[in-house]
Amino acid sequence: MADTSTLVIGTRGSPLALAQAHETQARLAASHGWTPERLPLSIIKTTGDAIQDRPLSEAGGKGLFTKELDIALLDGSIDLAVHSAKDLPTALPEGIVIAGYLPREDVRDAFISRRYGSLRDLPQGAVVGSASLRRQAEIRRLRPDLQVTLLRGNVQTRLAKLDRGEVDATLLAMAGLRRLGLTDHVTAVLDVDDFLPAVGQGAIAIATRADDERVRQAVETILDAPTGHALAAERAFLTVLDGSCRTPIAGHARLDGGALEFRGLVLRPDGSETLEAVRRGDASDAAALGREAGLELRSRMPAGFLNA
């Protein structure tokens, strides 16, 4: 069991995961006046990290990035787990909860190419690499003439493949590039109105044991309420649609004063058809707004739409 004089932070070992874990560690240390030694990192390799040769949708979905961290939480090896919110499945194992989220980073996607200035500028037949079904479908929706191919690996690996000419362009999350100090690679930033991000994009989620009041009270000081409201709407939307790595779903909520605005999309994988729902209401009703949007889209979907 973990030493109660410390809070052990569990994380994947990718550069981005470590950057997010270090941000969490620094915020906790600053909030409580603790030394980093009280907040050791435990690096845990997940099944998702080991799979590089096929889409995660074929291997089991989002839970591949969380399963081993969940096990470590439940057996007491770690006290909290740091996740990219968009990697979290909609249903967590019994005994684990999302305590909350750090302040959200830039939610937008970045277009990166060594030869072309934007997605619009790519010539017919150009190859765009992405591991995300959501990005692949949105690319095809805007540019059905392009070739879209699988591009797995961490951020640095994908950039290296781009440099080797394996693809003409790729899309990555601005949040990850900012956290890694790699924004100099960005060719253009895609507007949210044109290219809706993944549910949870840009947010760091903190997971804890449901019954561990000590840890939950400790992390409460660094959690961001507006991000929590936005993610409540987005994850409720995803839950209704049974969203996973197998489904091209996009969703984004933002606060405007005390009001929450939500927009959600479900796309056919080939980008040929898109269904959209929009909601606006009080932030305290965030989960209900997201759920309503998801139910609306479910009622409008042709048979087999999600499995097309």
Side-chain angles (χ1 to χ4, degrees), residues 2 14 16 46-47 131 137 147 164 195 201 242 244 302:
S14 72
L16 179 55
T46 69
T47 305
Q147 296 183 53
R164 292 197 296 269
F195 210 94
Q201 187 153 306
D242 192 27
S244 70

PDB file of all heavy atoms in Angstrom, residues 2 14 16 46-47 131 137 147 164 195 201 242 244 302:
ATOM      1  N   ALA A   2       0.389   2.314  -0.580  1.00  0.00           N
ATOM      2  CA  ALA A   2       1.151   3.554  -0.665  1.00  0.00           C
ATOM      3  C   ALA A   2       1.323   4.170   0.726  1.00  0.00           C
ATOM      4  O   ALA A   2       0.451   4.072   1.593  1.00  0.00           O
ATOM      5  CB  ALA A   2       0.437   4.538  -1.581  1.00  0.00           C
ATOM      6  N   SER A  14       4.771   8.189 -21.723  1.00  0.00           N
ATOM      7  CA  SER A  14       5.042   8.997 -22.908  1.00  0.00           C
ATOM      8  C   SER A  14       5.451  10.406 -22.497  1.00  0.00           C
ATOM      9  O   SER A  14       5.122  10.865 -21.395  1.00  0.00           O
ATOM     10  CB  SER A  14       3.801   9.074 -23.803  1.00  0.00           C
ATOM     11  OG  SER A  14       2.809   9.908 -23.207  1.00  0.00           O
ATOM     12  N   LEU A  16       4.279  13.247 -23.353  1.00  0.00           N
ATOM     13  CA  LEU A  16       3.116  14.073 -23.039  1.00  0.00           C
ATOM     14  C   LEU A  16       2.500  13.675 -21.701  1.00  0.00           C
ATOM     15  O   LEU A  16       2.143  14.537 -20.890  1.00  0.00           O
ATOM     16  CB  LEU A  16       2.067  13.975 -24.150  1.00  0.00           C
ATOM     17  CG  LEU A  16       0.777  14.770 -23.928  1.00  0.00           C
ATOM     18  CD1 LEU A  16       1.081  16.235 -23.658  1.00  0.00           C
ATOM     19  CD2 LEU A  16      -0.154  14.619 -25.114  1.00  0.00           C
ATOM     20  N   THR A  46       1.031   1.010 -20.274  1.00  0.00           N
ATOM     21  CA  THR A  46      -0.314   0.508 -20.546  1.00  0.00           C
ATOM     22  C   THR A  46      -0.337  -0.309 -21.829  1.00  0.00           C
ATOM     23  O   THR A  46       0.563  -0.211 -22.673  1.00  0.00           O
ATOM     24  CB  THR A  46      -1.324   1.665 -20.672  1.00  0.00           C
ATOM     25  OG1 THR A  46      -1.049   2.403 -21.866  1.00  0.00           O
ATOM     26  CG2 THR A  46      -1.251   2.587 -19.463  1.00  0.00           C
ATOM     27  N   THR A  47      -1.389  -1.088 -21.980  1.00  0.00           N
ATOM     28  CA  THR A  47      -1.553  -1.895 -23.191  1.00  0.00           C
ATOM     29  C   THR A  47      -1.580  -1.011 -24.430  1.00  0.00           C
ATOM     30  O   THR A  47      -1.025  -1.354 -25.474  1.00  0.00           O
ATOM     31  CB  THR A  47      -2.854  -2.707 -23.097  1.00  0.00           C
ATOM     32  OG1 THR A  47      -2.842  -3.480 -21.902  1.00  0.00           O
ATOM     33  CG2 THR A  47      -3.008  -3.629 -24.295  1.00  0.00           C
ATOM     34  N   ALA A 131      -4.272   8.888 -36.115  1.00  0.00           N
ATOM     35  CA  ALA A 131      -4.711   7.690 -35.414  1.00  0.00           C
ATOM     36  C   ALA A 131      -6.147   7.810 -34.930  1.00  0.00           C
ATOM     37  O   ALA A 131      -6.719   6.849 -34.435  1.00  0.00           O
ATOM     38  CB  ALA A 131      -3.798   7.432 -34.210  1.00  0.00           C
ATOM     39  N   ALA A 137     -12.503  11.172 -39.958  1.00  0.00           N
ATOM     40  CA  ALA A 137     -13.825  11.443 -40.518  1.00  0.00           C
ATOM     41  C   ALA A 137     -14.004  12.930 -40.814  1.00  0.00           C
ATOM     42  O   ALA A 137     -14.590  13.307 -41.842  1.00  0.00           O
ATOM     43  CB  ALA A 137     -14.906  10.967 -39.552  1.00  0.00           C
ATOM     44  N   GLN A 147      -6.189  11.152 -49.268  1.00  0.00           N
ATOM     45  CA  GLN A 147      -5.966   9.817 -48.729  1.00  0.00           C
ATOM     46  C   GLN A 147      -5.703   9.968 -47.226  1.00  0.00           C
ATOM     47  O   GLN A 147      -4.812  10.706 -46.832  1.00  0.00           O
ATOM     48  CB  GLN A 147      -4.757   9.157 -49.382  1.00  0.00           C
ATOM     49  CG  GLN A 147      -4.895   8.890 -50.868  1.00  0.00           C
ATOM     50  CD  GLN A 147      -3.670   8.171 -51.413  1.00  0.00           C
ATOM     51  OE1 GLN A 147      -3.271   7.125 -50.889  1.00  0.00           O
ATOM     52  NE2 GLN A 147      -3.084   8.725 -52.454  1.00  0.00           N
ATOM     53  N   ARG A 164      10.029  12.268 -42.348  1.00  0.00           N
ATOM     54  CA  ARG A 164      10.549  11.254 -43.275  1.00  0.00           C
ATOM     55  C   ARG A 164       9.710  11.157 -44.545  1.00  0.00           C
ATOM     56  O   ARG A 164      10.035  10.377 -45.439  1.00  0.00           O
ATOM     57  CB  ARG A 164      10.599   9.879 -42.589  1.00  0.00           C
ATOM     58  CG  ARG A 164      11.630   9.771 -41.483  1.00  0.00           C
ATOM     59  CD  ARG A 164      11.915   8.317 -41.143  1.00  0.00           C
ATOM     60  NE  ARG A 164      10.742   7.629 -40.609  1.00  0.00           N
ATOM     61  CZ  ARG A 164      10.443   7.550 -39.316  1.00  0.00           C
ATOM     62  NH1 ARG A 164      11.231   8.142 -38.410  1.00  0.00           N
ATOM     63  NH2 ARG A 164       9.371   6.881 -38.912  1.00  0.00           N
ATOM     64  N   PHE A 195     -13.727  22.533 -37.297  1.00  0.00           N
ATOM     65  CA  PHE A 195     -13.147  21.233 -36.979  1.00  0.00           C
ATOM     66  C   PHE A 195     -13.316  21.012 -35.480  1.00  0.00           C
ATOM     67  O   PHE A 195     -12.476  21.390 -34.672  1.00  0.00           O
ATOM     68  CB  PHE A 195     -11.665  21.226 -37.374  1.00  0.00           C
ATOM     69  CG  PHE A 195     -11.139  19.878 -37.772  1.00  0.00           C
ATOM     70  CD1 PHE A 195     -11.118  19.484 -39.105  1.00  0.00           C
ATOM     71  CD2 PHE A 195     -10.669  18.993 -36.808  1.00  0.00           C
ATOM     72  CE1 PHE A 195     -10.643  18.229 -39.469  1.00  0.00           C
ATOM     73  CE2 PHE A 195     -10.187  17.747 -37.170  1.00  0.00           C
ATOM     74  CZ  PHE A 195     -10.172  17.365 -38.504  1.00  0.00           C
ATOM     75  N   GLN A 201     -10.843  17.039 -25.093  1.00  0.00           N
ATOM     76  CA  GLN A 201      -9.554  17.474 -25.623  1.00  0.00           C
ATOM     77  C   GLN A 201      -9.041  18.706 -24.868  1.00  0.00           C
ATOM     78  O   GLN A 201      -9.777  19.644 -24.602  1.00  0.00           O
ATOM     79  CB  GLN A 201      -9.672  17.783 -27.115  1.00  0.00           C
ATOM     80  CG  GLN A 201      -8.333  18.089 -27.790  1.00  0.00           C
ATOM     81  CD  GLN A 201      -8.343  17.759 -29.260  1.00  0.00           C
ATOM     82  OE1 GLN A 201      -8.672  16.639 -29.648  1.00  0.00           O
ATOM     83  NE2 GLN A 201      -7.984  18.706 -30.109  1.00  0.00           N
ATOM     84  N   ASP A 242     -22.519   6.023 -26.412  1.00  0.00           N
ATOM     85  CA  ASP A 242     -21.605   4.899 -26.213  1.00  0.00           C
ATOM     86  C   ASP A 242     -20.307   5.150 -26.959  1.00  0.00           C
ATOM     87  O   ASP A 242     -19.778   4.288 -27.655  1.00  0.00           O
ATOM     88  CB  ASP A 242     -22.253   3.585 -26.678  1.00  0.00           C
ATOM     89  CG  ASP A 242     -21.470   2.365 -26.214  1.00  0.00           C
ATOM     90  OD1 ASP A 242     -20.789   2.465 -25.180  1.00  0.00           O
ATOM     91  OD2 ASP A 242     -21.520   1.323 -26.887  1.00  0.00           O
ATOM     92  N   SER A 244     -16.561   5.656 -28.146  1.00  0.00           N
ATOM     93  CA  SER A 244     -15.291   4.976 -27.922  1.00  0.00           C
ATOM     94  C   SER A 244     -14.381   5.304 -29.094  1.00  0.00           C
ATOM     95  O   SER A 244     -14.728   6.109 -29.958  1.00  0.00           O
ATOM     96  CB  SER A 244     -15.504   3.465 -27.849  1.00  0.00           C
ATOM     97  OG  SER A 244     -15.843   2.956 -29.126  1.00  0.00           O
ATOM     98  N   PRO A 302     -29.856   7.223 -38.705  1.00  0.00           N
ATOM     99  CA  PRO A 302     -30.339   6.068 -39.471  1.00  0.00           C
ATOM    100  C   PRO A 302     -29.815   4.783 -38.841  1.00  0.00           C
ATOM    101  O   PRO A 302     -28.795   4.784 -38.142  1.00  0.00           O
ATOM    102  CB  PRO A 302     -29.725   6.276 -40.862  1.00  0.00           C
ATOM    103  CG  PRO A 302     -29.288   7.700 -40.898  1.00  0.00           C
ATOM    104  CD  PRO A 302     -28.966   8.092 -39.500  1.00  0.00           C
TER     105      PRO A 302
END
